[in-house]
Amino acid sequence: MDALDLIEAHTAVMVRNFELLSRRTDIYDELDRAGYLLLRTLEVTGPADITTLATRLGLDPSTVGRQVAAMTAAGLVERTPAPADRRRGIVVATAEGRLRARRVHDRRRDNLAVMFDGAPEDELRVIGESFARYNQAVARHYDVSLLPD
């Protein structure tokens, strides 16, 4: 199997594994994956408008708008008028949104710690850097700026 076939095969399995992990844990019970990623994006970018969030997430602005509306109703984000153009809304994570994102982050990290128990730090770093290179390649190819920076 050449390198591209190896990557192709394992990305297909990774997608399945992410679905498996989502179904077999309660990590996302209080905040779904889309909400978690939106809140993590706000953590990196700071307050942002829908267009900026859509670009960062690689989504259509209408999709992000619906996510923001649902998260606003749940008290996880707030929309405030932009100072320069009050027609444009700026999305800001609320204290509750930041708290839930932190709890999901901690649970995801704890889950990884269990799965990789005993793995040497240098091997974990290689895995993380490989994921980063993959995500950067996707971001470049599709002209998006996915997390993290």
Side-chain angles (χ1 to χ4, degrees):
M1 180 179 300
D2 73 6
L4 291 177
D5 280 339
L6 183 66
I7 293 168
E8 186 282 325
H10 283 283
T11 55
V13 172
M14 278 181 23
V15 169
R16 175 59 62 202
N17 284 340
F18 292 148
E19 292 169 1
L20 173 80
L21 291 170
S22 179
R23 284 192 315 272
R24 297 221 178 149
T25 69
D26 59 358
I27 290 173
Y28 295 107
D29 282 358
E30 66 178 312
L31 180 63
D32 66 22
R33 286 182 293 178
Y36 174 70
L37 190 54
L38 191 139
L39 287 167
R40 287 295 305 263
T41 301
L42 287 171
E43 183 181 326
V44 170
T45 65
D49 64 16
I50 296 290
T51 302
T52 300
L53 289 170
T55 299
R56 295 285 302 197
L57 293 164
L59 297 171
D60 185 85
S62 64
T63 301
V64 175
R66 286 189 299 276
Q67 288 176 350
V68 166
M71 292 177 69
T72 300
L76 304 177
V77 298
E78 296 174 343
R79 287 182 75 169
T80 59
D85 180 356
R86 298 188 63 76
R87 294 170 297 173
R88 202 173 101 236
I90 302 297
V91 181
V92 180
T94 63
E96 178 65 20
R98 289 188 302 276
L99 175 67
R100 287 194 198 183
R102 173 53 49 194
R103 286 196 300 239
V104 170
H105 171 267
D106 291 347
R107 295 195 62 209
R108 287 169 50 95
R109 186 180 163 88
D110 291 346
N111 196 39
L112 288 169
V114 169
M115 289 189 311
F116 287 106
D117 185 40
E121 176 71 21
D122 60 331
E123 287 182 18
L124 294 176
R125 183 145 315 273
V126 168
I127 293 168
E129 289 168 353
S130 296
F131 284 169
R133 281 192 300 277
Y134 177 83
N135 289 335
Q136 290 162 1
V138 170
R140 274 191 313 275
H141 185 75
Y142 292 101
D143 197 27
V144 296
S145 301
L146 300 174
L147 287 177
D149 279 341

